[in-house]
């Protein structure tokens, strides 16, 4: 039995569509000093505030030693800062710096400009359908944060 036998055709199509769109977004994202994991970690810190170092590795799908190395590099580059957890002085808390916010904004702006050029080529109905899907996509993203895949 193939693994997709339990899945609906719609779910398979959605997964395929997301995969294709992810490939497009990767190509549209400007090459920068940030790796995908570094950019994602900085966006997480920007969006949801400081995190303990030990909380950052699992959502990014990397080992704790790899995340520690990444945070060390981001700190050296002035994009993130480490400090003590006010509730537990033994724990390390990581925050994004203003330079880190600027790096995330530059990356986002470059991708937005490239995506905007593609969106302009779509028929108005397709553009409207994408806009209409944004709330559902946001909720799907929230579910991923709450329930990361195993």
């Amino acid at each position: 039995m193939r693994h997709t036998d339990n899945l609906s055709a719609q779910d398979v199509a959605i997964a395929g569509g997301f995969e294709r769109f992810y490939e497009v977004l990767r190509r549209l994202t400007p090459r920068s000093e940030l790796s995908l994991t570094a950019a994602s970690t900085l966006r997480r810190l920007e969006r949801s505030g400081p995190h303990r170092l030990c909380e950052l590795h699992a959502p990014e799908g990397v080992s704790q030693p790899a995340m520690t190395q990444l945070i060390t590099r981001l700190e050296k580059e002035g994009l993130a800062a480490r400090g003590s957890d006010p509730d537990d002085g033994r724990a390390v808390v990581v925050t994004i710096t203003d330079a880190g916010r600027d790096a995330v904004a530059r990356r986002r702006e470059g991708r937005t400009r490239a995506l905007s050029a593609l969106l302009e080529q779509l028929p108005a109905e397709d553009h409207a359908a994408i806009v209409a899907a944004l709330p559902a996509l946001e909720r799907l993203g929230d579910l991923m944060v709450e329930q990361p895949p195993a």
Side-chain angles (χ1 to χ4, degrees):
M1 181 168 90
R2 289 187 19 217
H3 188 62
T4 58
D5 289 347
N6 305 4
L7 304 174
S8 74
Q10 278 186 329
D11 288 348
V12 171
I14 290 168
F18 279 142
E19 187 173 80
R20 174 83 172 114
F21 191 64
Y22 174 72
E23 291 167 0
V24 169
L25 279 180
R26 274 193 19 238
R27 277 183 284 201
L28 291 177
T29 301
R31 303 257 183 234
S32 71
E33 72 276 7
L34 298 176
S35 68
L36 289 173
T37 304
S40 179
T41 300
L42 288 173
R43 280 192 309 272
R44 178 179 310 283
L45 294 170
E46 177 186 49
R47 185 176 51 249
S48 56
H51 280 65
R52 285 182 170 203
L53 181 57
C54 63
E55 297 170 340
L56 290 170
H57 74 95
E60 297 303 331
V62 299
S63 68
Q64 188 159 347
M67 181 55 69
T68 299
Q69 287 181 337
L70 174 63
I71 295 302
T72 298
R73 184 172 60 84
L74 292 174
E75 189 174 32
K76 284 180 184 175
E77 294 171 3
L79 304 175
R82 291 185 220 216
S84 296
D85 185 329
D87 298 327
D88 180 357
R90 299 167 297 169
V92 174
V93 173
V94 181
T95 58
I96 188 170
T97 63
D98 288 342
R101 289 181 203 289
D102 291 345
V104 169
R106 282 190 307 275
R107 185 179 175 100
R108 185 178 295 127
E109 182 181 346
R111 185 178 47 247
T112 300
R113 286 183 188 282
L115 185 57
S116 179
L118 289 176
L119 289 168
E120 288 176 1
Q121 298 175 49
L122 287 177
E125 309 81 52
D126 288 349
H127 190 275
I130 292 169
V131 170
L134 291 175
L137 292 172
E138 191 69 30
R139 287 189 295 276
L140 182 62
D142 290 345
L143 286 175
M144 288 295 298
V145 170
E146 295 166 14
Q147 308 165 27

